[in-house]
Amino acid sequence: MPDPRQRIRNFSVIAHVDHGKTTLSDRILELTGTVSLREMRDQLLDSMDLEREKGITIKARAVRMSWTKDGDSYELNLIDTPGHVDFNYEVSRSLAACEGAVLLVDASQGIEAQTLANAYLAVEQGLEVVAVINKVDLPSIDIGLVREDLRTTLGFKDEEVLLASGKTGLGVAEILNAVVERVPPPSGDPDAPLRALIFDSHYDQYKGVVAHVRIIDGSVAHGDRILLMATAKESELLELGVFAPDAVPIQRLATGEVGYVATGLKAVADCRVGDTLTLATRPAAAPLPGYRPAKPMVFAGFYPTSSEDYPALRDALEKLSLNDASLVYEPESSQALGFGFRAGFLGLLHMDIVQERLEREYDVDLIATSPSVEYRVITHGETEIAIDNPAHLPDPGTITEVKEPWMKVTIIVPQHYVGPIMDLAQNKRGVLMDMSYVDPTRAMLTYDMPLAEVIVDFYDQLKSRSQGYASLDYELREYRAADLVRLDILVASTVVDALSMIVHRERAMGIGRALTAKLRELIPRQMFDVPIQAAIGGKVIARETVKATRKDVLAKCYGGDITRKKKLLEKQKKGKKRMKMVGAVEIPQEAFLAVLRIKED
């Protein structure tokens, strides 16, 4: 009897954002007959409204399909991956579940930063990469130039590169044939104890946590008792199945197959992406290599606009974290905003998506504070503490040094925009490490840059200075010591902790001036003068004043003695003074967003 593993091919589709990955997946599902034409719709694998609106994949998806070549039927498992740099860890785990990857390159845009990052990720994992130039139906494209890109940058031979159009379906059959021919069948020991890689998970209210798994060794059958190796959680297996693309229950998953396991566990945190699933009755000796918990890089505070919505926000975050194991949060309180949560995200896009989902799906009105990164603070006692909230930075007198995360930033940009992009990177404290040319018209710049500079408005400025042509990829390099200080904003002599930020000492003055000037425009006028100050420790470095709205108390005085007028003005002055002591200043949501958009003098 032939080995059933020889008929299985596990592959992934990797690409830069917006290179047509989801559209190509739609055509593959159509061509293999996995989805009938009656049920077919655009972006079928992007089931979330946000994914469809933004045109990006947020959650990885897996689909089992069958394909016949030369009279033999093959089982193809397509694992769809997100393209955005924020979800890089999900991509790496999805690739670990495959033996091959289809690398898509847009014929009109060529190789971009995340194309390279994802291609290198696939090569590092030892995958067989099938290069495809997509969108060949577009007018005025230079396929020869893109072929040369692939040849010089990634070393593909011209005859290996396939041409396709996800929109029209051209070349899709050739891609599937190439997957069957070039991608090796899965290896693994069918008789060894079960080892299954969890490459994704979602929460189902009836079945608990549903783990998306690739069986590396052994097999699992309905009714087995399972064990998660990283969290040491045991559970009765409720259901086994495959995605085609909807969940279809089956009795057994064997070596090399891809499917899902309904664990019955109540928290996604117990079943993390990258963990190894084994049998409780016959556990594996060692887990699969490469597992690490997803690490948040960007932190922000979420507060309800009205304090009575706090329980609703807490419930919404709980429910959302069931479907998103990379979201971490903890309660915190702010003098200015009351009770809320400090949440950690993989990046700014992840933060935007979480905020939109909370507001849309759970109908919670939010105030989000400006994002910050995690700093490492070394105090006089040689203890190292991690700080993700500027308000928690210890007293400057107790600090020996502050370290901040630095990223390796890769930018691919047409050569006539290189000057403006280099100027932008230098303004953001970037250090140029390397510059090379991907092809005769485009340069690849590699910078070391602090993450705090990347997350504020770097991406927006990159796109505007390059008229949308530049692409960006970044990864953590190391923590480096820097001369950092906490910049506090005082409104009416009260520190607004939600507006505090950690900045480089050299730039504190410029940022303080810009921020106080912006806040003066945004904070509404009161019946008394409102001073807005930027301070480092006890030293005020910038000040603006929101002038009081004044009632004209002299309107009724015409002519007459000057002392009467003075008496009325004195009375008004005392009233203003008393009002200032008891008056509270409401700070609008725009003020917190202003921190993101300040430009220094």
Side-chain angles (χ1 to χ4, degrees), residues 113-139:
Q114 283 156 17
T115 315
L116 280 180
N118 289 337
Y120 290 146
L121 213 54
V123 171
E124 277 166 27
Q125 306 235 18
L127 270 62
E128 183 62 44
V129 180
V130 177
V132 177
I133 299 174
N134 193 23
K135 304 190 186 180
V136 294
D137 58 311
L138 292 176

Side-chain angles (χ1 to χ4, degrees), residues 94-404:
S94 298
L95 293 180
C98 301
E99 281 77 34
V102 172
L103 176 69
L104 274 198
V105 179
D106 187 327
S108 61
Q109 297 177 61
I111 288 178
E112 298 198 61
Q114 283 156 17
T115 315
L116 280 180
N118 289 337
Y120 290 146
L121 213 54
V123 171
E124 277 166 27
Q125 306 235 18
L127 270 62
E128 183 62 44
V129 180
V130 177
V132 177
I133 299 174
N134 193 23
K135 304 190 186 180
V136 294
D137 58 311
L138 292 176
S140 66
I141 52 171
D142 188 344
I143 291 173
L145 189 65
V146 183
R147 274 188 202 274
E148 194 178 320
D149 272 11
L150 285 163
R151 189 170 60 242
T152 54
T153 315
L154 294 166
F156 287 104
K157 298 187 182 109
D158 279 0
E159 62 272 16
E160 291 177 338
V161 179
L162 304 175
L163 303 180
S165 165
K167 191 174 177 185
T168 63
L170 174 79
V172 176
E174 286 78 3
I175 294 172
L176 293 173
N177 287 336
V179 166
V180 169
E181 286 166 18
R182 298 190 210 168
V183 174
S187 57
D189 185 351
D191 303 317
L194 171 71
R195 288 201 303 171
L197 173 73
I198 299 170
F199 62 84
D200 195 17
S201 63
H202 73 267
Y203 185 77
D204 182 290
Q205 58 183 349
Y206 302 112
K207 301 170 194 166
V209 178
V210 178
H212 302 205
V213 296
R214 150 73 199 274
I215 312 293
I216 306 293
D217 294 321
S219 62
V220 60
H222 189 70
D224 282 346
R225 192 161 179 79
I226 53 172
L227 167 71
L228 295 152
M229 296 187 82
T231 53
K233 295 278 181 189
E234 265 192 51
S235 166
E236 200 70 48
L237 191 152
L238 298 183
E239 185 179 296
L240 266 180
V242 295
F243 295 107
D246 297 322
V248 179
I250 59 171
Q251 288 300 308
R252 184 171 177 271
L253 280 174
T255 304
E257 292 192 301
V258 173
Y260 69 85
V261 174
T263 63
L265 294 168
K266 290 290 173 244
V268 169
D270 294 337
C271 179
R272 292 190 176 277
V273 171
D275 196 357
T276 303
L277 186 117
T278 188
L279 294 179
T281 49
R282 190 189 169 205
L288 296 161
Y291 168 69
R292 65 176 200 277
K295 187 175 182 335
M297 301 299 290
V298 175
F299 298 84
F302 279 170
Y303 294 87
T305 44
S306 149
S307 55
E308 37 294 4
D309 288 344
Y310 177 76
L313 174 59
R314 184 185 59 222
D315 294 346
L317 275 167
E318 267 176 27
K319 286 174 185 164
L320 194 56
S321 67
L322 288 174
N323 274 324
D324 187 349
S326 50
L327 169 66
V328 293
Y329 66 94
E330 60 182 19
E332 73 165 7
S333 62
S334 153
Q335 292 169 342
L337 300 172
F339 291 101
F341 292 91
R342 189 89 187 156
F345 311 94
L346 299 173
L348 270 192
L349 176 76
H350 187 209
M351 177 182 154
D352 285 348
I353 284 162
V354 169
Q355 188 175 347
E356 279 204 46
R357 287 187 71 185
L358 286 170
E359 290 180 338
R360 271 191 206 188
E361 295 172 25
Y362 301 100
D363 201 22
V364 180
D365 280 336
L366 285 179
I367 291 177
T369 65
S370 59
S372 72
V373 301
E374 185 176 89
Y375 297 92
R376 305 268 169 86
V377 180
I378 297 165
T379 58
H380 286 320
E382 289 302 309
T383 52
E384 185 175 286
I385 47 176
I387 298 285
D388 58 51
N389 186 347
H392 295 162
L393 194 71
D395 185 86
T398 64
I399 296 173
T400 311
E401 71 174 4
V402 182
K403 293 180 178 176
E404 62 177 340

Side-chain angles (χ1 to χ4, degrees), residues 32 66-76 173 176-177 180:
T32 55
S66 58
W67 178 246
T68 306
K69 182 181 184 294
D70 301 334
D72 293 327
S73 181
Y74 293 88
E75 177 193 306
L76 304 183
L176 293 173
N177 287 336
V180 169

Side-chain angles (χ1 to χ4, degrees), residues 2-16:
D3 187 345
R5 286 176 299 165
Q6 296 303 313
R7 295 286 173 85
I8 298 174
R9 299 289 184 273
N10 297 322
F11 72 103
S12 192
V13 182
I14 53 176
H16 186 81

